[in-house]
Amino acid sequence: MSAQLIDGIALSRQIRADVAARVQALKERGVTPGLAVILVGDDPASAVYVRNKVKACAETGMHSVLETWPASMSEAQLLARVAALNEDPSIHGILVQLPLPAHMDAHKVIEAISPGKDVDGFHVASAGALMTGLPGFWPCTPYGCMKMLESIHYDLRGKHAVVIGRSNIVGKPMAMMLLQKSATVTICHSATANLKAMTLQADVIVAAVGKRHLLTADMVKPGAVVLDVGMNRDDQGKLCGDVDFASVREVASWITPVPGGVGPMTITMLMANTLDAAERA
Ligand code: NAD
């Protein structure tokens, strides 16, 4: 059996069309959703990410502001920019692209963003809201994974979900979202003693590690759903995930490809969060 693909490009297109329609409706009521993106330094990967975010804003009819600052910017200057954007009524979402230069405390900067504008969902208020089931912004990558499960009408209730990775931006919030949908959740990480013993029990596996070929077919229960968050390069320099796609697709029932899977969903959910922020404001 070969798994069916969950196509992140097609699903993104659908969700972005819905976002664009809601943006238009909001504009007719006199509000244009606005996203401010701050990039500090000249990391080439970050520059590509922020460009794609700004482009996605234009495509969905949103207003965006891209601020690029040299790596020599001080933390105090950055905090002052965040404070100004917190007060700016034309801006509904603020995103500070990570990583920041080493002389800045990323936690301090994220905590300076008003929780009502924290469209990345990284503020402790957002994390607390997710943890307690209150309304708030969900981190875009795991949120996109949930939309992918929703798109195949997958009922998580009582299912065993194994999340590999425990970062604050993917693994931990992913586990909380799965729990909220009544899955039984196991979080695995770098100190997990026997990863295969865990993944073999899973109905759903989310791989969010950053190591290619981490998940191989012998680690997957037949019929499991496999979501691949990882972004790595193979020997030819081509983008690949954490999952050994060719072998795992022969065992799984559904699988996300890399590229064209979770990746496009991340920016799509950022657009959805920014729209939500504007609608709430
Ligand atoms: P991270 O480095 O913060 O976390 C990696 C996690 O993997 C850690 O919790 C660690 O404990 C765990 N880990 C490491 N080795 C392991 C092993 N051998 N077995 C089990 N667990 C192990 O990374 P992150 O920010 O969570 O990102 C994870 C991956 O997802 C990266 O490849 C990143 O590029 C990718 N990513 C993709 C998107 C997207 O939009 N598709 C967004 C964010 C991150």
Side-chain angles (χ1 to χ4, degrees):
M1 183 186 75
S2 194
Q4 298 190 65
L5 287 191
I6 311 179
D7 181 343
I9 296 173
L11 181 57
S12 277
R13 207 175 289 132
Q14 267 176 36
I15 296 174
R16 286 191 201 194
D18 175 57
V19 166
R22 282 167 56 201
V23 167
Q24 190 52 40
L26 206 55
K27 279 177 158 174
E28 281 158 19
R29 298 192 344 241
V31 179
T32 302
L35 175 70
V37 181
I38 304 181
L39 173 65
V40 185
D42 47 17
D43 177 56
S46 293
V48 173
Y49 295 147
V50 299
R51 265 207 308 277
N52 288 339
K53 288 166 187 176
V54 167
K55 206 170 118 206
C57 283
E59 282 166 9
T60 48
M62 295 194 209
H63 162 64
S64 68
V65 175
L66 172 59
E67 290 194 10
T68 51
W69 294 91
S72 58
M73 178 191 214
S74 73
E75 186 185 272
Q77 282 172 316
L78 177 57
L79 290 171
R81 282 310 306 142
V82 170
L85 291 165
N86 281 341
E87 298 302 318
D88 184 339
S90 72
I91 295 300
H92 303 93
I94 302 170
L95 182 154
V96 178
Q97 186 66 41
L98 301 178
L100 287 171
H103 65 277
M104 292 187 183
D105 178 350
H107 283 292
K108 196 169 163 187
V109 174
I110 299 301
E111 293 316 302
I113 297 173
S114 161
K117 298 190 177 187
D118 175 40
V119 288
D120 249 345
F122 296 165
H123 196 288
V124 288
S126 301
L130 171 58
M131 180 104 173
T132 52
L134 291 171
F137 297 109
W138 285 8
C140 302
T141 301
Y143 191 10
C145 290
M146 293 305 284
K147 285 286 173 194
M148 292 181 116
L149 291 173
E150 205 181 293
S151 76
I152 60 166
H153 308 288
Y154 191 81
D155 184 6
L156 283 160
R157 190 174 186 80
K159 299 290 190 341
H160 188 182
V162 170
V163 179
I164 320 175
R166 58 172 159 183
S167 72
N168 289 336
I169 64 169
V170 190
K172 281 189 225 167
M174 184 79 248
M176 282 299 137
M177 290 173 202
L178 293 162
L179 184 63
Q180 207 178 88
K181 291 288 178 195
S182 299
T184 300
V185 183
T186 301
I187 306 176
C188 297
H189 45 77
S190 52
T192 295
N194 188 344
L195 183 62
K196 181 176 172 179
M198 298 295 152
T199 57
L200 273 175
Q201 297 174 39
D203 302 302
V204 177
I205 301 172
V206 182
V209 173
K211 287 201 170 115
R212 66 185 159 120
H213 295 168
L214 177 93
L215 191 78
T216 48
D218 59 312
M219 299 167 75
V220 178
K221 182 168 83 173
V225 176
V226 177
L227 306 184
D228 191 352
V229 179
M231 286 200 312
N232 312 296
R233 296 275 162 193
D234 68 13
D235 291 335
Q236 284 72 46
K238 272 176 38 192
L239 193 64
C240 66
D242 290 345
V243 175
D244 180 23
F245 184 81
S247 72
V248 172
R249 78 175 302 180
E250 298 306 319
V251 183
S253 59
W254 291 92
I255 190 167
T256 64
V258 178
V262 176
M265 293 298 293
T266 297
I267 295 188
T268 297
M269 299 326 294
L270 175 69
M271 296 301 108
N273 276 352
T274 304
L275 171 62
D276 281 349
E279 286 178 340
R280 286 178 206 174

